[in-house]
Amino acid sequence: MKKNDFSPQLTEFLAHYLPELKNVSENTISAYCDTFRLFLGYCKDTEGMNIEKMSLKDLKPELVERFLHWLETERGNSIATRNHRLAAIHSFVRYLQVQEPTLLLNFQRILAIPVKKTERKSIKPLTKEAVAVILRQPDTSKARGRRDATILCVLYDTACRVQELCDLRVEDVRFEHPANIRIHGKGRKIRIVPLLHSAIFTLMPDRFSCRSPGRTRRTFTGKEPFTTVYQPERQPIDQSWCCVYPQ
């Protein structure tokens, strides 16, 4: 077994195994990359390891446990974040079990590291009056306000996550009866959510200015965050579109 066999295995896992063989979503792969970016940085800066010569033999349960402890104590990450990082490492180790069976016992010890239980706090729902106040905040006489009103209305009407809103594409919105919106959730799960009349009104194309007359299918873009414009099919919503911008 080569000395520096960690890097090629990690590259194969992230660049080929997850997207090609497992068909994992881009968001999941991005989260896994973040985990190993932190892990390698910890190994280099805190453990004093030479990551260029890192071997799979160096991937020990004690190292993983110290990394998880560092996440909570030094970076101030929550238990939920700590568990997400551990899940990414577990996924990588399950992949390695088949690739390097000589280290199977060591990998199984890493897989035995448990997730921490978190306390689930009860969430107090907003009253109808409070929701109405929030929805009235954007100034709909301006393009920026119409954009913000659309974000709030769609989030309230569909109960979608912010990332799910960012992943919406032109063809996901149906205005014809029965009006609905197709949401791409976590784990590539798709759900169809009916749209109320208020959401249909805020999404109607005639409420927005069109930059290119030839483009009839619309979505939003974060490249010009203060306007709502038409874009070609399959143009995703940018995450910056959902950010809070200074006045």
Side-chain angles (χ1 to χ4, degrees):
M1 185 166 56
K2 295 184 296 183
K3 180 63 178 177
N4 57 341
D5 56 353
F6 182 87
S7 57
Q9 290 288 6
L10 180 59
T11 300
E12 179 71 12
F13 173 72
L14 295 173
H16 177 69
Y17 178 76
L18 290 179
E20 300 296 333
L21 300 183
K22 297 291 289 183
N23 196 28
V24 174
S25 69
E26 293 182 4
N27 294 332
T28 300
I29 296 175
S30 177
Y32 280 22
C33 288
D34 289 340
T35 295
F36 287 103
R37 190 177 297 113
L38 289 171
F39 179 67
L40 292 174
Y42 167 80
C43 291
K44 178 182 179 181
D45 299 333
T46 304
E47 296 285 340
M49 301 172 64
N50 187 344
I51 60 176
E52 288 83 4
K53 297 182 179 180
M54 194 170 176
S55 169
L56 291 177
K57 288 184 177 180
D58 298 325
L59 188 61
K60 299 178 180 179
E62 295 81 10
L63 175 62
V64 176
E65 289 173 351
R66 292 196 298 270
F67 168 66
L68 297 174
H69 179 72
W70 174 80
L71 288 176
E72 293 187 71
T73 57
E74 298 298 325
R75 285 183 58 86
N77 290 158
S78 66
I79 294 178
T81 300
R82 177 259 190 200
N83 290 340
H84 290 155
R85 303 305 185 195
L86 178 59
I89 295 175
H90 278 175
S91 180
F92 179 49
V93 170
R94 291 190 185 95
Y95 162 79
L96 291 175
Q97 286 184 119
V98 179
Q99 306 300 320
E100 295 292 344
T102 57
L103 299 174
L104 184 59
L105 179 59
N106 190 56
F107 295 150
Q108 290 179 345
R109 291 176 59 199
I110 296 176
L111 292 173
I113 299 176
V115 297
K116 281 189 175 181
K117 291 185 177 181
T118 58
E119 179 183 356
R120 293 195 174 186
K121 299 180 180 180
S122 59
I123 301 176
K124 296 182 180 180
L126 294 172
T127 63
K128 292 179 62 177
E129 293 75 16
V131 172
V133 170
I134 294 175
L135 294 177
R136 287 198 299 266
Q137 294 308 302
D139 182 2
T140 55
S141 65
K142 301 178 181 178
R144 177 179 176 179
R146 292 194 293 271
R147 178 210 63 184
D148 295 342
T150 303
I151 290 177
L152 293 174
C153 189
V154 172
L155 288 174
Y156 173 72
D157 192 20
T158 64
C160 67
R161 301 178 180 89
V162 171
Q163 184 59 54
E164 293 173 342
L165 180 70
C166 293
D167 291 339
L168 284 177
R169 299 182 183 277
V170 176
E171 62 269 23
D172 292 329
V173 182
R174 170 190 170 95
F175 292 105
E176 295 80 7
H177 182 77
N180 57 56
I181 190 167
R182 183 169 63 241
I183 298 175
H184 302 263
K186 298 175 66 176
R188 297 185 180 274
K189 295 180 180 178
I190 297 177
R191 61 185 187 275
I192 306 297
V193 180
L195 287 175
L196 297 177
H197 178 74
S198 57
I200 299 173
F201 177 74
T202 58
L203 283 167
M204 286 300 290
D206 58 8
R207 300 192 69 239
F208 303 99
S209 59
C210 179
R211 295 180 65 195
S212 302
R215 295 172 176 176
T216 58
R217 303 295 297 278
R218 61 169 293 279
T219 186
F220 310 103
T221 176
K223 295 178 181 178
E224 298 182 15
F226 301 141
T227 58
T228 306
V229 298
Y230 281 69
Q231 290 292 314
E233 257 188 49
R234 307 196 66 79
Q235 170 71 34
I237 299 174
D238 190 272
Q239 275 192 335
S240 60
W241 198 78
C242 297
C243 293
V244 177
Y245 293 90
Q247 297 292 336

